[in-house]
Amino acid sequence: MHELISGRRSARGYDPSATISLGDVTTIVDAGRWAPTWGRVQPVRFIAGLRGDPTFDALAGVLTRGNSGWAPRSAALILVCTTDDPDDAKAHTYGAVDCGLAVAQMILQSEALGFNAHPMAGFDAEAARDIFGIPADKRPLVLLGVGALADPASLPEEIRARDEKPRTRLPLSEVAFAGRWGRPAFPDSAGA
């Protein structure tokens, strides 16, 4: 597995004095723009702010309690929106898939640039819709914090403890099947 994937984690311990250039944020958003898209529809849209600008402050203002304590330490916040058309199940589903692909590429691009990116669902989507005038046919789905990791010794204990937890995933034998549900596709990787 590529080290950008194997080393990636959704950290919370960002350095509140670290900055990110507009060029780096542009590159991160552009990575999302170039993600695969169903039927070339390209439904994903972005609202980006750098710490200290009004867009960042407004995005920080829509964070819910769980994220409002650490996410404002990000160097940038990027709201990722996609299609909102529950009457068209196919477009609605694929819009969410396209959004996920865009966010994944943005996370990897952030890592490649030496930053960490943390996707969040913990924000008030309706408040974001109102503040930014997001059209009714779009839905704010993910808020991505991008930042530089802080020295762990400088972090509050709660954040440091969460960031130091080992990164784990279910073994392949529990998530990848062949032939029928529950039959491992890769039986030799039962513990992987």
Side-chain angles (χ1 to χ4, degrees), residues 40-189:
R40 299 184 181 175
V41 173
Q42 302 179 51
V44 180
R45 301 293 185 269
F46 312 91
I47 296 174
L50 278 65
R51 189 184 326 103
D53 73 21
T55 300
F56 182 98
D57 293 343
L59 289 169
V62 301
L63 291 165
T64 56
R65 191 174 59 115
N67 294 322
S68 63
W70 67 267
R73 297 168 61 119
S74 302
L77 290 171
I78 305 166
L79 182 62
V80 188
C81 304
T82 191
T83 304
D84 192 7
D85 187 359
D87 294 331
D88 183 344
K90 190 173 184 180
H92 200 69
T93 298
Y94 281 106
V97 171
D98 284 5
C99 183
L101 291 166
V103 170
Q105 287 196 185
M106 294 167 69
I107 289 169
L108 295 177
Q109 184 63 53
S110 297
E111 289 287 328
L113 293 171
F115 295 98
N116 179 271
H118 186 125
M120 297 170 274
F123 67 96
D124 185 336
E126 287 309 309
R129 186 183 296 281
D130 292 342
I131 291 166
F132 295 107
I134 298 170
D137 68 340
K138 297 294 179 200
R139 61 182 158 153
L141 200 54
V142 177
L143 186 53
L144 187 67
V146 180
L149 296 177
D151 176 353
S154 71
L155 297 172
E157 178 58 32
E158 178 184 321
I159 291 174
R160 182 172 63 241
R162 286 185 81 172
D163 280 2
E164 289 177 349
K165 280 185 179 179
R167 182 174 169 247
T168 62
R169 292 293 184 269
L170 293 171
L172 276 175
S173 62
E174 291 183 28
V175 299
F177 311 126
R180 62 179 286 132
W181 192 266
R183 185 177 298 147
F186 312 106
D188 292 338
S189 66

